[in-house]
Every structure is written in structure tokens, then in C-alpha cells.
């Protein structure tokens, strides 16, 4: 398919001839990308690949395959944040506020519980490894450090701390499973997933073109964290006092059944879907919310099986359902955004043609001159 002068052969019209098998292989590799990304960029990417092909090339090179595989994996990881730069910037900015506000409550509860256990076992002057006391205590300590460093502007160090927190969380799950506490791992799995998502959002902020937090975003994050911790403490204070236990103990959470928690969560996510600026964050938040609600329910057990019975399979099923919910919500968000874009384009065409109702154009049913 190449000429003797080392350049691409051309036909009589001057068009460059490319081996059909090369184009076929390029198309197969491009199918690895998410559908929404392919629809927007497949023709452009295929054109660049074909234009950059060497004379006589009939198969993609190893470097091309690796680059396309790496780019496809990157797009799949970023897909829950949206399919366009605008969506990803909005989702990343919102998640950097919402995730700390939600996770700080559990972090405070776990660390207070771990400190109480250490104090009861060893006295005020004693100390013990938090990992052996509460498996996820190390994760929450590192996560709080990551949030503090990120808000202070040390983004790289904060990202490193967040990644270490996710690794510590997975290690805590392994410790629980190895010790025979599979149910504890089942309860902790959604929180480990949430901390891992936070680390992923920090890692993706450069790709999503989200810069350092301005002071307004930092103030919003700190205010949201303080508000959620204060609200949780106030909501559980009365029941905790009646039981004679601290607010973080969890004893006062008995009225917070999965159906009672699921109703406001679904309502909030539904409202977020209606607003275009908050819509891109719904897939991630919805997947995590589903995992959190299911981990407190008897979804995986029948009425004759002890709810405390759990194994590694239940943990993996829980995470798989959360991932599936994230993918479904991603599809819903993309379709809603496409519909909004189509409507906006239609309104723009009507306005350009002078056909917008109420702006001098004819209304439906009105006679028009022929």
C-alpha cells in the first residue's frame, strides 16, 4: 500500500490509500472507549490514527495499542464524573464539598470509638495500634489528614494521604475478613469505597481542569463538614442521653432504619438530577448511597437466615450493585444532558428564525401568510 519513495500511495484523485485491515483494527480499539466519548470523538480519533500511520502499515503498533488502552481506561474511570469537560468540572467541584461533609460524620464516630476503646483498655497513659483496635481507624485518620492538606493547598501531599487512606481501608477489610468478622467488613465496605472515590476525585481534578480551591470553596467545605457533624450530634443527642451513651456510639441510631434513610436520599438525588449543575455528581453519590443503605438492610438474607451471617461474596455483591447503580445513573445523566442540549439547540434555531412564542413569531394554531 506504499509507494517506492517511502510515502503513502494515492489513488487517481490524490486520496491517501490505507490498508482496510488497519482501519478495521483501529475501529475495534476505539470500541473500548465509552459510548458517549466515541460518539463525540471517534471520527476525529480515527482520522488522526489513519493520518499518522506509517507507509505500508497494516496493523496498529504496540505503542498505539498501549496508548489507546490507557486512554480508554482513563475515560472509563472518568465516565461517572460525566462525558464532557463541563460535566466533569461540575461533578468534581461538587464532590470535593459533598464527600467530606458526608464522610466526616463516620470519621468522627469511628475515631471517637477507637479512642474510647484504647482509653478503657490501657488507661489515660496507654496507647495501642488503632488498626488492631478498629480496623478502619487508620483509614479515617489518613482521610482527615488528606482533607486538611487539600484545603490547606497541599494538593499532592493530600492526594498521597487520600491514596494511603484508601489502601488502609482495603487493608482494614482484609483484617476483618481474616479475623472472621465478615459482617464488620460488610458494614465498612461502603465507607472504604467512599474514601477510595474521594481519592479518585482528587486524582482526577487535574484531568477535569479543576484548580486549587478558592477560599469560598474551602469555607463551604469546612462549613458543610461542621454542619453535618453538628446536625448528627443534635439529632442523636436526645436518644443518646436517654440510653446514657455518647452521641457517636451508634446506640441512638435504631430509628434510622434503611427505609427511613432511603426516602430522603432518593428525594435529594432526584432534586439533584433536575438541576444541571448538580446532575453530574448524582451517579457517584447514588452508587455510594445504595451501598450504604444496603449494608444496613437484610437485602442479601432471607427471613430465616441470621443477618449477622456475611462472607466475602456478600461484600463483593454489595460493591458490584453500587458500581452497577453508578453506571445506570451515568447513562441517565448523559441522556438528560443530551435532551437539554437538543432543546437548547431547538430554541436557538427558533429564535434565529423569529419563531419563538411570545417574541413576534407565530404561535401554534395561528394563521400564517403564504
Amino acid at each position: 500500500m506504499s509507494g517506492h519513495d517511502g510515502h503513502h500511495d494515492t489513488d487517481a484523485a490524490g486520496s491517501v490509500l490505507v490498508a482496510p485491515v488497519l482501519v478495521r483494527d483501529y475501529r475495534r480499539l476505539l470500541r473500548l472507549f465509552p459510548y458517549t466519548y466515541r460518539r463525540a470523538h471517534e471520527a476525529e480519533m480515527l482520522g488522526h490514527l489513519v493520518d499518522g500511520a506509517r507507509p505500508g502499515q497494516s496493523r496498529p503498533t504496540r505503542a498505539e495499542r498501549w496508548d489507546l488502552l490507557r486512554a480508554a481506561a482513563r475515560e472509563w474511570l472518568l465516565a461517572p464524573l460525566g462525558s464532557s469537560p463541563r460535566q466533569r468540572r461540575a461533578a468534581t467541584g461538587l464532590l470535593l464539598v459533598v464527600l467530606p461533609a458526608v464522610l466526616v460524620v463516620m470519621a468522627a464516630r469511628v475515631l471517637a470509638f477507637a479512642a474510647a476503646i484504647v482509653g478503657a483498655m490501657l488507661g489515660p497513659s496507654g496507647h495501642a495500634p488503632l488498626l488492631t483496635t478498629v480496623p478502619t481507624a487508620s483509614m479515617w485518620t489518613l482521610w482527615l489528614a488528606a482533607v486538611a492538606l487539600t484545603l490547606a493547598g497541599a494538593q499532592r501531599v493530600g492526594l498521597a494521604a487520600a491514596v494511603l487512606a484508601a489502601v488502609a481501608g482495603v487493608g482494614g477489610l482484609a483484617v476483618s475478613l481474616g479475623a472472621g468478622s465478615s459482617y464488620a467488613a460488610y458494614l465498612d465496605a461502603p465507607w472504604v469505597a467512599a474514601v477510595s472515590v474521594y481519592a479518585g476525585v482528587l486524582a482526577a481534578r487535574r484531568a477535569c481542569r479543576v484548580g486549587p480551591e478558592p477560599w469560598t470553596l474551602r469555607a463551604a467545605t469546612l462549613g458543610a463538614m461542621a454542619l453535618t457533624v453538628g446536625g448528627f450530634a443534635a439529632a442523636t443527642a436526645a436518644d443518646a442521653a436517654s440510653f446514657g451513651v455518647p452521641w457517636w456510639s451508634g446506640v441512638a441510631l435504631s430509628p434510622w432504619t434503611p427505609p427511613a434513610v432511603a426516602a430522603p436520599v432518593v428525594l435529594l438525588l432526584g432534586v439533584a438530577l433536575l438541576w444541571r449543575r448538580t446532575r453530574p455528581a448524582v451517579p457517584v453519590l447514588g452508587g455510594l448511597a445504595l451501598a450504604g443503605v444496603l449494608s444496613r438492610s437484610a437485602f442479601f438474607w432471607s427471613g430465616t437466615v441470621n443477618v449477622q451471617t456475611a462472607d466475602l461474596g456478600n461484600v463483593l455483591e454489595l460493591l458490584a450493585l453500587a458500581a452497577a447503580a453508578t453506571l445506570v445513573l451515568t447513562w441517565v445523566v448523559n441522556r438528560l444532558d443530551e435532551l437539554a442540549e437538543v432543546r437548547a439547540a431547538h430554541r436557538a434555531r427558533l429564535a434565529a428564525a423569529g419563531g419563538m412564542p411570545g417574541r413576534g413569531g407565530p404561535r401554534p394554531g395561528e394563521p400564517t401568510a403564504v
Side-chain angles (χ1 to χ4, degrees):
M1 299 298 296
S2 61
H4 297 291
D5 59 353
H7 298 286
H8 290 289
D9 282 343
T10 59
D11 58 12
S15 301
V16 177
L17 299 178
V18 179
V21 68
L22 178 62
V23 178
R24 181 202 66 190
D25 289 347
Y26 281 149
R27 290 186 183 277
R28 287 178 176 176
L29 289 171
L30 292 177
R31 290 194 192 104
L32 298 175
F33 286 80
Y35 169 74
T36 51
Y37 187 85
R38 291 203 321 269
R39 186 186 57 196
H41 303 289
E42 184 174 14
E44 179 185 0
M45 294 177 67
L46 182 61
H48 284 306
L49 290 169
V50 171
D51 290 342
R54 298 194 307 270
Q57 181 178 347
S58 60
R59 288 289 189 274
T61 64
R62 180 177 299 179
E64 288 174 332
R65 292 178 185 274
W66 171 246
D67 287 342
L68 288 174
L69 289 173
R70 184 174 56 184
R74 172 180 173 274
E75 288 303 318
W76 276 108
L77 290 175
L78 292 175
L81 298 176
S83 59
S84 66
R86 178 194 60 79
Q87 286 179 319
R88 290 175 179 177
R89 284 195 299 270
T92 302
L94 186 61
L95 289 173
L96 287 175
V97 175
V98 174
L99 286 178
V102 174
L103 298 180
V104 69
V105 175
M106 193 64 179
R109 290 186 59 217
V110 169
L111 294 180
F113 181 63
I117 291 179
V118 172
M121 291 176 58
L122 302 176
S125 61
H127 65 278
L130 288 179
L131 184 60
T132 60
T133 306
V134 179
T136 57
S138 296
M139 176 188 76
W140 290 118
T141 303
L142 289 168
W143 177 80
L144 286 175
V147 174
L149 289 167
T150 301
L151 294 178
Q155 295 185 19
R156 293 185 178 181
V157 183
L159 173 59
V163 172
L164 289 176
V167 173
V170 175
L173 294 182
V175 169
S176 296
L177 291 170
S181 302
S182 300
Y183 187 66
Y186 182 77
L187 295 177
D188 290 332
W191 301 105
V192 174
V195 170
S196 301
V197 167
Y198 180 77
V201 171
L202 289 181
R205 62 185 305 165
R206 176 176 295 181
C208 298
R209 300 178 183 178
V210 177
E213 293 91 341
W215 70 269
T216 52
L217 185 58
R218 296 178 186 179
T221 303
L222 291 173
M225 293 171 68
L227 183 63
T228 53
V229 172
F232 182 85
T236 57
D239 289 336
S242 64
F243 285 108
V245 295
W247 64 271
W248 46 260
S249 64
V251 175
L253 295 178
S254 55
W256 296 29
T257 60
V261 174
V265 168
V266 171
L267 178 61
L268 290 174
L269 291 177
V271 172
L273 273 176
L274 298 177
W275 192 22
R276 194 169 184 179
R277 295 188 63 180
T278 58
R279 189 183 299 157
V282 169
V284 172
L285 295 176
L288 294 176
L290 179 65
V293 171
L294 290 181
S295 68
R296 263 62 183 176
S297 70
F299 181 80
F300 291 106
W301 296 274
S302 65
T304 59
V305 179
N306 184 3
V307 177
Q308 301 294 324
T309 302
D311 55 26
L312 177 60
N314 296 134
V315 176
L316 297 179
E317 289 168 353
L318 179 69
L319 297 177
L321 280 176
T326 300
L327 293 177
V328 170
L329 288 172
T330 300
W331 182 88
V332 171
V333 167
N334 288 334
R335 299 295 82 76
L336 289 175
D337 275 352
E338 289 173 9
L339 181 60
E341 291 173 1
V342 170
R343 288 177 174 174
H346 181 64
R347 287 195 296 267
R349 286 195 297 269
L350 288 177
M356 282 293 290
R359 296 193 179 182
R363 297 179 180 270
E366 289 184 351
T368 55
V370 179

